[in-house]
Amino acid sequence: MKLPAPVEILGVPVTPLRVAELHAWMDARLAAGERAEILNVNVHALNLAYRQPWLRAYLRRAPLVFCDGAGVILGARILGRHIPERITYADWMWQLAEHAAGQGYRLYFLGAQPGVAESAAQALQARFPTLKVVGCRDGYFDRTHGSPENEQVVAEINRLKVDILILGMGMPLQERWLLENWPALTARIGLTGGAVFDYLSGRVKRAPDWMNRRSLEWLGRLWIEPARLWRRYLFGNPPFLLRVLAQRLGVLKLPQE
């Protein structure tokens, strides 16, 4: 299927699409026997990519990058483009689980603290009993590329013939791990979900629904986890908007390695 033209924000192409289009694109790749890393960006990710050229390069060459934040929608609007919705993992995983259960896809959860990925899988399977989560592993292992422990994790994922691998290691650790290990993996779709397992398991609470509906989830998250997020939001959002304005004016300069 043909996707809409991406919106380039701070050097990163973000495809404006809805959940149904994302599912259809994934189905088409899987049916064709193709493999694809599907990455996502919010303001934090775009700020990281601005400062870290390797991450920006990875996002640029990924087959698909979607929007996971109201700030990205605002950025696109400033640039004169429209992104129809943000696809945030805390909501989307329930939709993806239902879709994957219907299609018979095999999922593997990698990341978070010990036991959290398993709890997330149990929560999803309680609602969708036919969902196939064929393996779970926490993110507390030696992730050094080529280390024996890392190789064991890759071998386990390959042995289980995974269709969709979901990482929950946080940015940019999960992107670095996927970038380094994707050539050795046989999983067909790779997804980077950040704190998705923490939310699904109930370990971390979400902002109230009324805030989420009004694009204020960032404020709710800041209220719930101030020690972890205050710097990201208070010192991340203003520079992001200034950079987007600079891009709109044609004076943005991206850092290079």
Side-chain angles (χ1 to χ4, degrees), residues 217-243:
E217 184 173 12
W218 70 271
L219 185 59
R221 292 185 66 192
L222 180 60
W223 179 264
I224 293 168
E225 300 182 88
R228 187 173 74 89
L229 297 175
W230 72 271
R231 186 180 300 274
R232 176 189 301 185
Y233 290 134
L234 298 184
F235 292 98
N237 290 354
F240 169 76
L241 293 174
L242 289 174
R243 289 165 185 154

Side-chain angles (χ1 to χ4, degrees), residues 4 37 63 85 157 161 170 175 188 210 218:
E37 305 120 289
E85 67 175 331
I157 294 169
K161 302 185 186 306
E175 285 79 13
R188 301 164 70 194
W210 69 267
W218 70 271

Side-chain angles (χ1 to χ4, degrees), residues 47-57 172 176 255 257:
N47 281 339
L48 288 173
Y50 176 82
R51 297 191 300 267
Q52 301 182 34
W54 74 264
L55 178 58
R56 185 167 68 249
R176 174 67 79 178
E257 288 183 316

